[in-house]
Amino acid sequence: MDMDDMTQRLLAGERRALARAITLVESGREDHRAQAGELLQRLRGHGREALRVGLSGTPGVGKSTFIESFGCMLTAQGLKVAVLAVDPSSARSGGSILGDKTRMERLARDPNAFIRPSPSQSQLGGVARRTREAIDLCEAAGFDVILIETVGVGQSETMVAEMADLFLLLLAPAGGDELQGVKRGIMEMADILLINKADGDLKTTAIRTCADYAGALRLLRKRPQDPRDFPKALTVSAVEENGLEKAWEEMRTLSDWRHENGHFAARRAAQARYWFEAEVREALLSRLNREPVKGAMTTLAGQVENGAVSATAAADQLMREYLMM
């Protein structure tokens, strides 16, 4: 791959070049990883900054429907929107459906939108391992808003908050009482709670649920990166497209305040450090799959199975002989 040509095409906003670049960074081949690292280094300092918005929620809460309605609203305002959707991978076959473009049919046809589904593979936290690098590529390609849709997650899945400027949590009506909202984990990481499906017979229930969560948010400890009245809960209807303008207004208000008070840049710097440390951990773990460590692990695993040595002692031996250099 010609890195000079790829860099220029990416900075020019070519969609085909962006798709190829994301495929490159997602590859596990060593030569592809080297090329991906070179490409990302060439794109540093391009001066472009997108608003990175992470979206999470339980399965069936309407994340894809919300993203399509919300994305179409943004493109109608002249903004370029990239959607990085993460699909769960099968624990048995390793495959993923990757059907987000089918779900977001209207947004997929929009010339100002780019949708890229990726498999989660074995990555925990609701995101794919290389989603962070894909975000950098989309930002370099000139997109104004990047929406990161996680797989359906639970209360402890908060990794998307480490790669987004704003973190939205979509909730279903009648999803819990005030005590549910006080629970730690994903709830306290969210910047804005969106009670989706506030339409039809569920509208009254959604309004009541929103009030419950708003009360719960007032009990959480105040965060330094939040202005007054944040985080907050809002009702939206992705189907009827109600509440989307209000949600976007609140997102811009929060983003502008963080820019003005230095929290935006500080957060991105902290995220860069977090992902550097994560890459170091991943690199150390990858050594377990290469010789001679892989063979030593197989031998020691057999000894553990036979009861000749304890798991703790075998792990200590492996660390001393191969990894503590």
Side-chain angles (χ1 to χ4, degrees):
M1 184 177 294
D2 187 337
M3 288 293 108
D4 288 329
D5 179 61
M6 175 62 74
T7 302
Q8 294 303 317
R9 290 170 59 194
L10 259 176
L11 293 175
E14 286 191 24
R15 297 161 65 92
R16 187 181 296 274
L18 176 57
R20 288 189 63 196
I22 293 177
T23 300
L24 180 67
V25 301
E26 288 181 343
S27 173
R29 281 176 42 175
E30 289 192 16
D31 57 334
H32 288 174
R33 291 304 307 151
Q35 288 183 320
E38 180 185 350
L39 178 61
L40 291 167
Q41 188 63 32
R42 286 169 176 262
L43 293 171
R44 291 186 61 80
H46 51 70
R48 297 174 179 175
E49 184 179 87
L51 181 62
R52 307 169 182 176
V53 181
L55 297 103
S56 191
T58 54
V61 76
K63 294 187 295 295
S64 297
T65 306
F66 171 81
I67 287 176
E68 178 170 52
S69 299
F70 185 65
C72 288
M73 182 200 72
L74 295 179
T75 57
Q77 298 178 10
L79 298 174
K80 294 184 65 179
V81 178
V83 179
L84 300 176
V86 182
D87 262 9
S89 297
S90 169
R92 294 183 177 180
S93 66
S96 294
I97 297 176
L98 303 180
D100 294 275
K101 285 190 176 182
T102 303
R103 283 176 170 169
M104 307 177 197
E105 185 178 354
R106 185 160 53 105
L107 186 62
R109 295 197 302 264
D110 195 313
N112 286 327
F114 174 84
I115 302 175
R116 172 69 181 220
S118 298
S120 64
Q121 297 176 331
S122 60
Q123 182 77 19
L124 299 177
V127 294
R129 181 180 176 188
R130 299 300 172 187
T131 298
R132 178 186 55 85
E133 295 174 349
I135 291 172
D136 291 338
L137 295 174
C138 291
E139 199 166 55
F143 285 91
D144 302 301
V145 181
I146 302 172
L147 304 176
I148 308 114
E149 180 196 2
T150 71
V151 303
V153 296
Q155 291 176 336
S156 64
E157 311 289 340
T158 56
M159 191 176 291
V160 68
E162 296 296 340
M163 59 179 67
D165 303 316
L166 302 178
F167 181 32
L168 310 183
L169 180 61
L170 268 67
L171 300 166
D177 53 15
E178 284 196 15
L179 183 60
Q180 183 72 21
V182 176
K183 288 184 178 179
R184 297 301 189 257
I186 198 169
M187 196 72 63
E188 63 182 350
M189 302 292 293
D191 296 309
I192 299 176
L193 304 183
L194 298 177
I195 316 302
N196 195 20
K197 304 183 180 181
D199 48 59
D201 296 338
L202 290 175
K203 186 171 184 178
T204 302
T205 306
I207 294 174
R208 185 167 61 250
T209 302
C210 182
D212 285 342
Y213 281 114
L217 289 174
R218 286 193 288 270
L219 300 177
L220 294 178
R221 182 178 298 175
K222 183 70 175 176
R223 304 181 305 184
Q225 71 269 29
D226 292 332
R228 189 175 181 179
D229 298 331
F230 279 89
K232 60 177 54 179
L234 304 170
T235 58
V236 295
S237 170
V239 173
E240 295 183 353
E241 300 187 0
N242 294 327
L244 301 181
E245 289 279 1
K246 174 66 174 175
W248 176 233
E249 180 183 340
E250 296 292 355
M251 290 182 219
R252 287 184 297 175
T253 298
L254 180 56
S255 176
D256 291 343
W257 186 88
R258 287 179 175 174
H259 267 291
E260 294 167 2
N261 290 272
H263 295 292
F264 194 95
R267 179 62 177 160
R268 286 208 171 181
Q271 288 176 347
R273 182 186 182 94
Y274 172 89
W275 289 108
F276 159 70
E277 294 173 352
E279 284 294 327
V280 173
R281 289 191 294 270
E282 289 287 347
L284 289 173
L285 287 173
S286 68
R287 293 184 60 184
L288 299 178
N289 294 319
R290 297 199 300 265
E291 297 295 350
V293 183
K294 185 176 181 180
M297 277 194 68
T298 302
T299 301
L300 287 170
Q303 296 176 10
V304 171
E305 288 179 354
N306 296 332
V309 63
S310 69
T312 302
D316 288 342
Q317 179 181 340
L318 185 73
M319 290 291 294
R320 287 194 308 270
E321 294 183 2
Y322 294 99
L323 298 182
M324 299 183 70
M325 301 177 181

